[in-house]
Amino acid sequence: MKGRLELAVFAAGGVTRHPLPAEGKVILGRAEETDIRIDDGSVSRRHALIHIGPPLRIEDLGSANGTTVRREKGAGGTVRLLDTRVEAGKLVEFGVGDAINLGSTILVVRKLEDEEPEVHGEGSPSSYVIRDEAMKRLYALAERVAEGPISVLLLGETGVGKEVLAETIHRKSQRASGPFLRLNCAALSESLLESELFGHEKGAFTNAVRSKPGLFETAEKGTVFLDEVGELPLGIQVKLLRVLEDRQVMRVGGLAPRPIDVRFVSATNRDLAFEVQKGTFRQDLYFRLNGIALSIPPLRERRSEIEPLARTFVARAAASIGRSPLEITREALAAMTSYDWPGNVRELRNAIERAVVLCEGVIRPEDLVLEGRVQGMASSPRNVPLTGTVPLTSMDPSLSAFSISADDATSQLRGSVVDTASLGSLREELGSLERQRMIDALEKCAGNQTAAAAMLGMPRRTFVSKLSAYNIPRPRKKG
């Protein structure tokens, strides 16, 4: 098998990707100690074992909901999908591109050629699928911004393409030959952040047997991309501010700061100005990060890009699992164009990758699993972010002049006085709406909190805290 292999896991709410070793065994399941953890209620704690060959083989470990291998069989110009149930303790051979069901979760081993970029680089979909006029203007502005040293703040909904734009800024800058370091601020543990970001000296703490440079140091002469910067804990915000101001880092246990030469590009789906008012984000850090802000429109506002993006994702996904090029029916294209894509480009890519795995030779609307949420059919107000801020302009045209702060005792209407009682009632209504959407997401995801948070475009940490705030019972995992 030439090229690297990865395992794509299609669970409720999205797709995760895990690199596979060149040989050996990989245990799959819901337990923490498994090699690849799948946080889905239909998956057993130790569900299955992949034997990496050649050949590739899978073994069921006595799971509750079983393991099935789905293979594509072609004859006479037609394509059929055949299911083979894996008996516990027995090995079943499978190939790259075959779909494996662990309960209701779908797994696919796909091939990554060494030269294949992960949705970035000059050949990426987003670098040439730019049809919308607003996106053309945005990327033209980004290229001009890239030439200078100014910090850039990228704004937009989850999955809208902020990382791709950040990479574009890096590639068009004078730092293009340097490293591009991605940091997901929501995924970093506060207890490890200081050591990971700033490094440590030998003997600084237990097990610090040698000095280690921090991530900021490794990005010397390059660009640091701080994704989901709005999720940073206040304690780390203080340390990051010091780095931005002094362009120096102090290793844990160090005696003198070390100079660094990096550019910072940040991204968030939060309203940071609102977070500053709430006291959850430092104003001085906000001003440092917001040298210039670029706002990326959601996919539903640039529908002319949906079809070319979809065709690009289909070609890539089919090639990665060894399938021949696939066609998309006009009905499927119409469904995609009409759908609101709350998860934006990331959701489109995930839907396409799932469809490529499940379809029988051609992609039809039923292969896309869009849950009927098309333009004009959503039962709840659209564009309502569930990550801490609610812009009323997306709720009702009659409210478009309002601006709300959770701490305002006297909210204003651009020069007019607003009845605070009515605003209090509105907050309660919005809270009730958000609570119900969280409950609905949990039901759709069989109690899987991670998947439910992803479905709503909400960081898991925020989702869990809101469970307590709204007094929503924590779902129990099934054995």
Side-chain angles (χ1 to χ4, degrees):
M1 288 178 289
K2 296 182 179 180
R4 296 168 291 126
L5 296 179
E6 73 168 9
L7 183 69
V9 180
F10 297 82
V15 181
T16 57
R17 297 171 176 83
H18 310 269
L20 293 175
E23 58 183 13
K25 301 177 181 180
V26 178
I27 299 176
L28 312 172
R30 207 179 66 241
E32 293 283 356
E33 63 270 15
T34 53
D35 298 313
I36 295 179
R37 183 170 182 266
I38 304 173
D39 190 10
D40 188 286
S42 67
V43 176
S44 297
R45 293 181 60 80
R46 286 171 56 88
H47 196 113
L49 178 65
I50 292 180
H51 299 256
I52 301 175
L56 291 168
R57 294 173 296 172
I58 189 158
E59 174 186 356
D60 186 89
L61 299 178
S63 65
N65 294 318
T67 301
T68 304
V69 176
R70 171 172 287 191
R71 296 185 176 89
E72 180 181 290
K73 298 292 183 182
T78 63
V79 175
R80 292 184 302 143
L81 297 177
L82 302 180
D83 292 341
T84 301
R85 187 173 180 86
V86 180
E87 297 182 21
K90 293 188 177 182
L91 299 179
V92 172
E93 189 173 326
F94 69 95
V96 172
D98 288 342
I100 301 171
N101 280 82
L102 271 58
S104 61
T105 298
I106 301 173
L107 315 178
V108 180
V109 173
R110 61 188 297 265
K111 187 181 298 183
L112 287 176
E113 299 297 340
D114 290 336
E115 67 275 9
E116 179 185 348
E118 271 299 302
V119 195
H120 61 268
E122 293 296 334
S124 71
S126 295
S127 66
Y128 60 81
V129 181
I130 301 177
R131 304 287 180 85
D132 182 77
E133 290 300 321
M135 289 294 288
K136 291 179 181 178
R137 293 192 296 269
L138 175 65
Y139 270 77
L141 176 59
E143 289 192 22
R144 295 201 300 272
V145 169
E147 298 173 358
I150 191 171
S151 296
V152 183
L153 179 62
L154 306 180
L155 306 173
E157 298 177 5
T158 297
V160 82
K162 297 187 286 292
E163 182 174 346
V164 175
L165 182 56
E167 285 198 63
T168 299
I169 293 172
H170 172 70
R171 291 199 313 271
K172 300 295 183 180
S173 73
Q174 297 179 359
R175 299 175 177 270
S177 60
F180 179 78
L181 175 65
R182 305 169 185 82
L183 292 174
N184 187 324
C185 299
L188 296 172
S189 167
E190 184 172 3
S191 61
L192 297 176
L193 265 176
E194 187 170 11
S195 173
E196 291 298 314
L197 295 182
F198 307 114
H200 61 257
E201 298 291 357
K202 180 180 179 180
F205 49 83
T206 304
N207 297 328
V209 295
R210 63 177 61 89
S211 296
K212 176 186 174 183
L215 293 174
F216 288 156
E217 289 183 65
T218 66
E220 183 72 11
K221 303 295 184 182
T223 303
V224 174
F225 174 53
L226 299 172
D227 196 12
E228 297 192 53
V229 71
E231 303 298 321
L232 276 178
L234 282 170
I236 300 301
Q237 291 180 31
V238 176
K239 295 180 174 64
L240 176 59
L241 176 64
R242 190 179 305 126
V243 172
L244 286 166
E245 289 180 337
D246 301 337
R247 298 292 164 169
Q248 294 179 330
V249 294
M250 176 72 81
R251 289 184 180 179
V252 177
L255 300 177
R258 296 170 177 265
I260 59 170
D261 179 12
V262 299
R263 182 188 197 172
F264 287 91
V265 178
S266 307
T268 183
N269 60 358
R270 287 179 174 268
D271 182 346
L272 288 189
F274 182 71
E275 299 300 319
V276 168
Q277 293 181 15
K278 291 200 303 179
T280 58
F281 201 86
R282 292 182 62 94
Q283 185 179 55
D284 43 10
L285 177 59
Y286 171 60
F287 289 146
R288 279 288 181 180
L289 296 174
N290 189 17
I292 184 170
L294 302 178
S295 182
I296 306 175
L299 187 57
R300 61 182 171 274
E301 294 181 7
R302 43 189 172 107
R303 295 182 185 273
S304 60
E305 296 184 352
I306 292 176
E307 179 177 343
L309 275 171
R311 293 191 183 281
T312 300
F313 291 144
V314 166
R316 281 192 169 215
S320 72
I321 62 175
R323 294 195 70 172
S324 57
L326 299 172
E327 292 296 324
I328 310 174
T329 65
R330 286 183 294 179
E331 293 79 10
L333 287 173
M336 285 189 283
T337 304
S338 299
Y339 183 56
D340 272 351
W341 299 109
N344 294 290
V345 178
R346 182 181 296 126
E347 184 185 5
L348 173 62
R349 181 188 180 193
N350 292 346
I352 290 296
E353 289 183 343
R354 180 190 292 267
V356 168
V357 171
L358 297 178
C359 75
E360 299 191 21
V362 62
I363 296 177
R364 298 179 172 84
E366 56 267 28
D367 299 316
L368 296 169
V369 195
L370 300 183
E371 300 181 3
R373 293 178 296 176
V374 296
Q375 185 180 22
M377 292 179 62
S379 59
S380 57
R382 298 186 317 202
N383 308 349
V384 181
L386 298 176
T387 54
T389 64
V390 181
L392 295 184
T393 53
S394 64
M395 295 289 294
D396 189 326
S398 66
L399 300 173
S400 60
F402 288 82
S403 64
I404 285 186
S405 166
D407 298 325
D408 280 351
T410 56
S411 299
Q412 297 178 345
L413 172 58
R414 294 182 183 170
S416 302
V417 177
V418 180
D419 181 5
T420 57
S422 64
L423 288 179
S425 175
L426 179 57
R427 290 191 190 96
E428 293 175 2
E429 183 178 341
L430 294 177
S432 177
L433 170 64
E434 183 176 58
R435 183 180 191 277
Q436 187 57 51
R437 292 186 68 180
M438 290 175 65
I439 292 173
D440 292 343
L442 282 169
E443 290 180 353
K444 290 181 180 179
C445 298
N448 186 322
Q449 297 174 44
T450 301
M455 177 179 291
L456 297 175
M458 184 186 301
R460 188 182 188 281
R461 185 168 58 189
T462 303
F463 184 87
V464 172
S465 67
K466 286 179 180 287
L467 288 178
S468 299
Y470 288 134
N471 196 27
I472 300 174
R474 297 285 186 92
R476 294 183 177 179
K477 288 184 178 180
K478 300 176 181 179

